[in-house]
């Protein structure tokens, strides 16, 4: 059904028990709707997910007629009676709406708050009492039609009789005006409060970017609150000349004797004197961007209200500023669709086609929620009849042309978006050329949260005009002040950030030629790179602050094909940030692009290429992509060996990386010579007590521990600890790592008494140096908790696990793989205590995180699979346990190979599951294979081997009675 732009909005307030009667009334009102006289609205039209209370309030405040559908249920409803009805009656009393009670069912409404109003049907006879209900509804519709004819308050074009006798607003009411109710209410309250408190001498200024809708708000305010005034005046305030012309016109409108005075100052003073002597007037000074021209035109003590529209930010104590924001995506989409004729003016966004809603929201985002731009786009769509999809495609190619077109037949804002801002750009250029360059730089940064340190990190990349601003806060603030004078940028002093509207960026970019665009884009990227820190501990917060800008920098690198060393540096550091937070999918292409640029600049064999190669290897290793990781490590080793020699210290780091990869794959025989060689290189080049020796010693010790060679591992751990203590001191954070390694070594041997003081000391050091909430503290907490859990000290372990989990979630996010590790640890603890209900959701969440972040086939997924499978086995849920155990085995074989010790553990788990069900034929070969792997890889004396051997022996014992029975 079509809803016309001048249709009167009718709001239906009713109790839900009366929905059938409401529906009948709506049917009878359809004739008025088809004639374009009204549009009806009630709460069942609210879209799912919408803030229903706010929507009802907005609809109620916009309605010209409010129907109270009265019944006993309506009177008994607190919301209908106390909220909707009271709000409706307040608007009726203020002359803003007409309230009509419609008696649906008999009820005792005498004495109700609305009883002084004329009710429908005739004589207040309830509709349900009539012998013919159709006649009752026709009587109601007839009464509503009379109210429409008498109604003075029309939504789009109030008749002159309803407006003040002196009225000089040059524009009709905008039928598409929307989304500014809060601003209008605040404006009204501010002006009225000023009058009440005798502070009306201070004008109120609607401030904001050109095209934000300031003139529209002032116009709507005049129409919406015209009943507060006896005189409403309008003056153009772009310049002194326009103000003089407007004041002469006002003098004639007021019939002042001085209106034809030869000296203009006499006319102006006469208008000012009238404004001082009279009350209940509103004066709108539109486009008052140059505030210094206003004082000679303002009365000293005005008797009414002065409202400015201005782009200026600093009011110079001339007015109280009320800033206007852009429209939300929902408001912008609704405005676009209504302006384009794709949605009726009074219709909700929920009534639009879903595809139109999605496209309109997307276009709103591209246009930055700017009302003028959305109005332009809607007018273009309406004039051409093209689809939203077509417009979006054309905008990508011809945005400059589209932003310069203005198709409005109304002169409330005759200039297009581009034209509006180009004048401001020219004025900025004239006042402060450095400010113009600052705006050019901002045009290529991300529009929001432009950290001010980007402007100060490296003056050499900013160009000749901007460079002095980097070291001079005075010059920098002067430039920002000029931009704020035209609302071209916003500044948040507490966050030390700037922001700029995305369309300002678009229009400004389009004014530049191709060479200038490349220059400013590259300067922006270089400024971002200078500010972005090296991605390491202590810098994560600053990385996060600059993240949105760093991403903008990477887009510049791609779009303008920048292949400088500084470009590769930004890509590399941003990738390292993402890798730290396990955002591997975002890190990988950045590392690859950094590698490509370095290869192009330096050659594929240059030593500096080794860094991105190594990080890509580490990235794949963390994701369990061992096959993909190895070639990167191998290539890095080859480059260093060829260029720097096989004994260069860098070789040691790369050998350790490759050895670590082999250890993860269970390739202990391949890993050991690499660890030994790395240790030898560092001893020869750096000496046996050098700090870097500690990490090589730790790596070799870890390998021996994995193999069950505890006797060989212990002196290496102790030596690593000694080196770090000697070089760094007993309390340095890096001492915690060998402490934890020693504790782990003792714990795996069951030497809990020896392990605990090392865990305690490591935790104490981390807390003292990093604080109680640092992520590295969580690692020490987990180590100590694991130690307690192994001893059955569940009460001591649980709070440590909980605290570790809280820290990791707070710092790394609830979806980080380290969160899954903590969840799995806690689940294991609950399972050991028989708290199955508590353990199961933790296992499931850990499994979900691992799968989402690392992939369904990652080796780390095995831990929660085994834990959950064991939990189901304890509960006798064998059917649920088996596929989990089988999947764990499959992942191990795929990633680690069939002879890895972890595969033996999975075989052993599956064998136990079958044995518990009496499926000995399935269990025996699995257990036998597990034992063979353990003996081959870890040796016959390793604790893990002994555990599997004991299981196999028990299995054979259990099988004997069954074999005898079978015989």
């Amino acid at each position: 059904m079509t809803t016309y732009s001048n249709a009167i909005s009718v709001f239906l307030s009713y109790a839900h028990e009366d929905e059938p009667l409401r529906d009948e009334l709506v049917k009878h009102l359809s004739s008025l709707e088809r004639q374009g006289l009204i549009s009806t609205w009630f709460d069942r039209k609210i879209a799912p997910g919408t803030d229903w209370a706010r929507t009802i309030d907005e609809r109620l405040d916009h309605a010209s007629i409010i129907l109270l559908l009265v019944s006993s249920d309506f009177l008994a409803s607190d919301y209908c009676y106390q909220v909707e009805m009271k709000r409706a009656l307040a608007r009726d009393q203020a002359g803003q709406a007409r309230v009509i009670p419609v008696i649906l069912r008999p009820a005792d409404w005498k004495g109700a708050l609305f009883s002084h109003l004329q009710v429908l049907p005739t004589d207040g006879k309830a509709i349900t009492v009539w012998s013919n209900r159709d006649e009752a509804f026709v009587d109601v519709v007839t009464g509503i039609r009379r109210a429409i004819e008498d109604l003075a308050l029309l939504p789009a074009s109030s008749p002159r009789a309803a407006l003040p006798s002196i009225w000089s607003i040059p524009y009709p009411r905008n039928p598409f005006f929307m989304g500014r109710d809060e601003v209008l209410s605040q404006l009204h309250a501010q002006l009225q409060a000023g009058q009440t408190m005798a502070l009306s001498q201070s004008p109120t200024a609607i401030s904001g970017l050109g095209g934000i809708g300031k003139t529209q708000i002032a116009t709507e305010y005049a129409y919406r609150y015209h009943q507060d005034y006896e005189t409403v005046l309008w003056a153009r305030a772009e310049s002194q000349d326009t103000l003089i012309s407007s004041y002469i016109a006002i003098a004639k409108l007021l019939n002042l004797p001085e209106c034809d005075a030869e000296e203009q100052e006499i006319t102006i003073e006469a208008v000012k004197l009238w404004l001082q002597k009279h009350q209940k007037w509103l004066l709108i000074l539109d486009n008052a961007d140059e505030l210094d021209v206003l004082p000679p035109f303002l009365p000293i003590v005005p008797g009414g209200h002065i409202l400015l529209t201005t782009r200026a930010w600093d009011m110079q104590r001339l007015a109280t500023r009320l800033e206007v924001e852009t429209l939300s995506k929902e408001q912008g989409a609704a405005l676009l669709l209504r302006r384009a004729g794709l949605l009726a003016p009074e219709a909700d966004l929920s009534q639009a086609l879903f595809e139109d809603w999605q496209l309109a929201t997307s276009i709103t985002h591209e246009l930055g929620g700017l009302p003028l731009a959305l109005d332009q786009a809607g007018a273009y769509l309406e004039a051409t009849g093209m689809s939203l999809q077509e417009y979006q495609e054309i905008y990508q190619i011809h945005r400059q042309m589209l932003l310069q077109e203005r198709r409005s037949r109304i002169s409330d804002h005759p200039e297009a978006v581009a034209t509006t801002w180009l004048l401001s750009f020219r004025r900025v250029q004239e006042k402060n050329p450095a400010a113009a360059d600052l705006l050019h730089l901002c045009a290529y940064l991300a529009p929001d949260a432009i950290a001010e340190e980007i402007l100060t990190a490296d003056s050499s990349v900013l160009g000749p005009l901007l460079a002095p601003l980097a070291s001079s806060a005075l010059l920098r603030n002067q430039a920002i002040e000029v931009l704020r004078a035209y609302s071209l940028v916003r500044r948040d002093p507490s966050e030390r950030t700037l922001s700029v509207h995305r369309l300002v960026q678009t229009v400004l970019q389009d004014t530049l030629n191709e060479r200038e665009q490349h220059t400013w884009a590259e300067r922006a990227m270089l400024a971002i790179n200078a500010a972005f820190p090296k991605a390491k501990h202590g810098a994560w917060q600053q990385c996060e602050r600059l993240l949105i800008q760093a991403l903008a920098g990477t887009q510049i690198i791609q779009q303008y094909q920048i292949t400088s060393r500084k470009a590769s540096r930004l890509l590399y550091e941003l990738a390292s940030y993402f890798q730290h937070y396990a955002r591997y999918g975002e890190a990988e292409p950045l590392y690859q692009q950094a590698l490509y640029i370095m290869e192009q600049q330096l050659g594929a064999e240059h030593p500096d290429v080794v860094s991105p190669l190594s990080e890509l290897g580490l990235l794949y290793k963390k994701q369990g992509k061992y096959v993909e990781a190895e070639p990167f490590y191998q290539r890095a080793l080859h480059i260093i060996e060829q260029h720097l020699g096989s004994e260069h210290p860098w070789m040691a780091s790369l050998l350790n990386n490759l050895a670590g990869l082999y250890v993860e794959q269970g390739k202990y025989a391949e890993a050991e010579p690499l660890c030994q060689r790395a240790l030898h290189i560092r001893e020869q080049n750096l000496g046996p007590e050098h700090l870097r020796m500690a990490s090589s010693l730790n790596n070799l010790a870890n390998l021996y521990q994995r193999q069950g060679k505890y006797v060989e591992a212990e002196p290496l751990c102790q030596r690593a600890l000694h080196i770090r203590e000697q070089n760094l001191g007993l309390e340095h954070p890096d001492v915690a790592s060998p402490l934890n390694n020693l504790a782990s070594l003792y714990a795996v041997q069951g030497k809990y008494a020896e392990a605990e003081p090392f865990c305690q000391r490591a935790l104490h050091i981390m807390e003292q140096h990093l604080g109680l909430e640092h992520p590295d503290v969580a690692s020490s907490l987990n180590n100590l908790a694991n130690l307690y859990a192994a001893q059955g000290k569940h009460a001591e372990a649980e709070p440590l696990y909980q605290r570790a989990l809280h820290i990791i979630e707070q710092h790394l996010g609830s979806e980080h793989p380290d969160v899954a590790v903590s969840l799995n640890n806690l689940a294991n603890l609950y399972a050991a205590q028989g708290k199955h209900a508590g353990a199961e959701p933790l296992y499931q969440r850990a499994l979900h995180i691992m799968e989402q972040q690392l992939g369904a086939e990652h080796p780390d997924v095995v831990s929660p699979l085994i834990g959950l499978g064991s939990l189901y086995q304890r509960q006798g849920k064998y059917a649920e346990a088996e596929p989990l155990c089988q999947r764990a085995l499959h992942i191990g074989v795929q990633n680690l190979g069939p002879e890895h010790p972890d595969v033996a553990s999975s075989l052993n788990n599956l064998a136990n599951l079958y044995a518990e069900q009496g499926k000995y034929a399935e269990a025996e070969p699995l257990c036998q294979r597990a034992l063979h792997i353990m003996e081959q890889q870890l040796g016959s004396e390793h604790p893990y081997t002994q555990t599997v051997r004991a299981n196999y022996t028990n299995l054979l014992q259990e099988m004997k009675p069954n074999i005898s029975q079978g015989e």
Side-chain angles (χ1 to χ4, degrees), residues 236-244 286-290 293-294 297 427:
R236 291 177 55 198
E238 296 98 323
S239 65
Q240 186 178 30
D241 290 340
T242 59
L243 277 167
I244 291 171
D286 191 35
N287 291 327
D289 298 335
E290 305 295 335
V293 306
L294 289 183
F297 295 88
R427 288 178 178 173

Side-chain angles (χ1 to χ4, degrees), residues 46 87 153 219 280 320 332 370 387 474 535 579 582 604 644 657 723 750 755 764 789 841 895 916:
I46 297 174
R87 198 180 189 113
L153 185 64
T219 301
K280 300 196 72 175
T320 303
L370 191 77
S387 69
L474 176 63
Q579 180 169 236
L644 302 178
N657 290 341
I723 289 172
H764 172 77
N895 287 278
E916 194 168 310

Side-chain angles (χ1 to χ4, degrees), residues 687-732:
E689 297 299 313
H690 192 277
L691 183 58
R692 289 190 178 177
M693 285 289 296
S695 60
S696 291
L697 290 165
N698 271 328
N699 290 337
L700 186 56
N702 177 54
L703 172 62
Y704 287 152
Q705 182 177 328
R706 289 279 194 107
Q707 294 175 286
K709 298 178 180 179
Y710 305 130
V711 174
E712 292 89 333
E714 186 172 346
L716 298 176
C717 286
Q718 290 172 335
R719 186 179 161 198
L721 175 61
H722 171 76
I723 289 172
R724 287 199 174 168
E725 287 178 333
Q726 290 297 306
N727 283 272
L728 303 173
L730 298 179
E731 297 298 311
H732 193 278

Side-chain angles (χ1 to χ4, degrees), residues 355-547:
E355 184 180 359
D356 285 352
W357 175 83
Q358 282 189 312
L359 287 167
T361 301
S362 177
I363 293 171
T364 297
H365 175 73
E366 290 191 53
L367 298 179
L370 191 77
L372 177 58
L374 292 164
D375 185 78
Q376 262 180 251
Y380 187 86
L381 285 161
E382 183 183 39
T384 61
M386 69 169 53
S387 69
L388 290 163
Q389 180 71 48
E390 288 176 301
Y391 178 85
Q392 192 169 37
E393 292 170 359
I394 291 175
Y395 179 82
Q396 302 299 327
I397 304 170
H398 302 290
R399 70 180 188 186
Q400 186 173 8
M401 181 272 289
L402 291 174
L403 292 175
Q404 289 174 345
E405 284 211 5
R406 186 75 177 117
R407 293 172 175 264
S408 176
R409 297 187 183 92
I410 300 170
S411 60
D412 55 350
H413 204 302
E415 296 175 342
V417 170
T419 309
T420 297
W421 288 336
L422 287 174
L423 177 60
S424 296
F425 297 160
R426 284 196 293 271
R427 288 178 178 173
V428 168
Q429 182 71 49
E430 292 166 1
K431 288 187 175 184
N432 189 322
D437 270 13
L438 175 57
L439 193 61
H440 282 115
L441 183 73
C442 290
Y444 287 91
L445 299 171
D448 301 313
I450 301 171
E452 291 189 24
E453 54 265 37
I454 292 173
L455 310 179
T456 61
D458 185 356
S459 61
S460 68
V461 304
L462 299 176
L465 289 178
L466 267 185
L469 273 63
S471 57
S472 172
L474 176 63
L475 295 177
R476 194 163 59 251
N477 286 323
Q478 287 175 346
I480 293 171
E481 180 183 3
V482 172
L483 296 179
R484 292 178 77 210
Y486 296 96
S487 291
L488 291 170
V489 300
R490 299 173 66 183
R491 192 179 200 178
D492 186 335
S494 61
E495 294 294 326
R496 295 186 63 249
T497 59
L498 303 175
S499 61
V500 59
H501 194 280
R502 66 178 62 250
L503 274 192
V504 170
Q505 294 179 308
T506 298
V507 172
L508 193 57
Q509 288 176 23
D510 289 339
T511 66
L512 304 176
N513 61 41
E514 189 173 340
R515 182 183 60 80
E516 291 170 330
Q517 289 179 355
H518 192 284
T519 296
W520 281 111
E522 187 165 17
R523 284 177 181 174
M525 184 279 294
L526 292 172
I528 294 165
N529 174 64
F532 198 80
K534 184 174 178 58
K536 62 180 182 179
H537 284 307
W540 302 126
Q541 189 173 354
Q542 182 66 2
C543 288
E544 181 68 30
R545 171 175 165 81
L546 294 169
L547 177 59

Side-chain angles (χ1 to χ4, degrees), residues 206-273:
I206 306 171
S207 170
L209 182 66
I212 202 77
K214 303 180 293 296
T215 298
Q216 288 293 323
I217 292 171
T219 301
E220 177 64 20
Y221 178 85
Y223 278 100
R224 188 173 294 194
Y225 297 105
H226 68 83
Q227 71 278 357
D228 292 347
Y229 304 102
E230 295 174 355
T231 301
V232 176
L233 305 169
W234 187 280
R236 291 177 55 198
E238 296 98 323
S239 65
Q240 186 178 30
D241 290 340
T242 59
L243 277 167
I244 291 171
S245 298
S246 294
Y247 267 52
I248 292 171
I250 287 172
K252 291 179 179 178
L253 191 64
L254 297 175
N255 291 320
L256 299 181
E258 299 86 350
C259 66
D260 294 320
E262 292 185 7
E263 296 183 20
Q264 296 170 338
E265 290 79 6
I266 294 175
T267 305
I268 292 168
E269 288 300 321
V271 172
K272 289 167 62 178
L273 184 61

